[in-house]
């Protein structure tokens, strides 16, 4: 189970204020390319499951992620999440030819194929994300600039086992810096699939 606090920022100016306020705590910045897949007969989406390949910093790393039954309420996201690293060249081959997802030695992909009776896959496309990670007050804060074909969104995320407290701490921090925010109501994948920014 992954539990995350997700706070939506109104635009680039707020994003830059957060980055500036936390710059002394900067840990790393990742350029992420996210590509999503479904079964050819919607075997995953029909059961509220998501399969993603994420490439880091070009071809630096590739991670397979499975997410199931994620729900966001008042800026707190909860859902099943499983991950496994795979060879980048295999990841690229799967993007080019999605049927390869069902023929790999990756344990997580094999589990998805078995659990959802997927014999073939289709690529849904995806989006890019610039993720800046800060280590602040014992929290791993992720500041995202997500670039869709139809626009850009900005968000602060933080994984936690005590999300209500973290939501309050982050909210108080942003307010103290005069940074507006709202609780996120949709995952990035849901925004991508809707084709619009609300």
């Amino acid at each position: 189970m992954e539990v995350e606090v997700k706070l939506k920022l109104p635009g680039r100016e707020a994003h830059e204020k957060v980055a500036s306020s936390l710059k002394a705590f900067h840990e790393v910045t990742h350029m992420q390319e996210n590509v999503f897949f479904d079964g050819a007969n919607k075997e995953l989406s029909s059961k509220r499951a998501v399969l993603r390949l994420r490439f880091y910093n070009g071809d630096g790393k590739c991670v397979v992620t499975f997410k199931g039954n994620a729900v966001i309420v008042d800026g707190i996201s909860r859902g099943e999440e499983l991950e496994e690293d795979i060879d980048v060249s295999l990841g690229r081959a799967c993007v080019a030819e999605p049927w390869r997802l069902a023929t790999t030695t990756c344990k997580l992909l094999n589990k998805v194929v078995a659990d959802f009776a997927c014999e073939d896959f289709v690529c849904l496309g995806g989006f890019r994300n610039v993720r800046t990670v800060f280590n602040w007050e014992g929290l791993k804060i992720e500041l995202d600039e997500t670039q869709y074909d139809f626009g850009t969104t900005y968000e602060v995320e933080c994984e936690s086992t005590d999300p209500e407290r973290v939501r309050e701490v982050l909210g108080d921090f942003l307010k103290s810096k005069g940074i507006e925010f709202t609780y996120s109501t949709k995952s990035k994948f849901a925004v991508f699939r809707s084709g619009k920014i609300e």
Side-chain angles (χ1 to χ4, degrees):
M1 179 70 72
E2 180 192 50
V3 182
E4 279 185 315
V5 174
K6 293 175 177 274
L7 304 178
K8 184 178 176 183
L9 301 172
R12 175 172 289 281
E13 186 180 343
H15 176 274
E16 289 175 354
K17 276 188 183 177
V18 175
S20 176
S21 298
L22 291 172
K23 66 183 176 186
F25 307 97
H26 178 260
E27 201 169 86
V28 67
T29 299
H30 294 297
M31 311 297 287
Q32 301 173 337
E33 180 186 344
N34 303 279
V35 185
F36 297 88
F37 301 86
D38 197 355
N41 297 306
K42 300 187 176 178
E43 290 92 341
L44 297 174
S45 59
S46 65
K47 294 178 179 164
R48 298 185 55 242
V50 177
L51 181 64
R52 179 187 72 203
L53 292 183
R54 172 175 283 168
F55 298 89
Y56 286 80
N57 306 316
D59 284 341
K61 177 181 174 182
C62 181
V63 179
V64 180
T65 303
F66 169 84
K67 292 180 180 252
N69 298 309
V71 176
I72 300 178
V73 178
D74 294 333
I76 296 174
S77 171
R78 291 179 170 88
E80 179 187 2
E81 179 172 287
L82 301 168
E83 292 190 325
E84 185 176 337
D85 289 9
I86 63 168
D87 186 84
V88 172
S89 60
L90 173 59
R92 292 294 181 194
C94 288
V95 172
E97 300 176 307
W99 59 265
R100 291 182 182 274
L101 291 164
T103 66
T104 74
T105 57
C106 171
K107 289 178 183 175
L108 178 52
L109 286 173
N110 291 339
K111 176 176 169 52
V112 170
V113 168
D115 290 355
F116 292 87
C118 271
E119 294 180 8
D120 199 6
F121 289 88
V122 293
C123 181
L124 303 174
F127 52 83
R128 294 179 182 275
N129 188 50
V130 181
R131 172 163 287 173
T132 309
V133 182
F134 304 91
N135 194 329
W136 175 79
E137 301 284 320
L139 301 175
K140 182 180 176 181
I141 298 174
E142 297 170 338
L143 177 62
D144 287 347
E145 177 183 339
T146 308
Q147 301 151 356
Y148 304 96
D149 288 343
F150 46 85
T152 303
T153 61
Y154 305 90
E155 193 172 40
V156 176
E157 293 187 358
C158 184
E159 199 168 328
S160 175
T161 54
D162 188 2
E164 286 79 9
R165 183 188 72 82
V166 169
R167 182 181 59 191
E168 185 176 346
V169 168
L170 283 179
D172 288 347
F173 170 75
L174 294 173
K175 288 173 190 169
S176 75
K177 301 294 182 182
I179 300 168
E180 292 182 24
F181 69 93
T182 55
Y183 294 152
S184 296
T185 57
K186 280 184 169 182
S187 69
K188 292 178 180 68
F189 177 71
V191 172
F192 162 67
R193 292 299 279 164
S194 75
K196 62 180 185 288
I197 294 167
E198 295 171 356

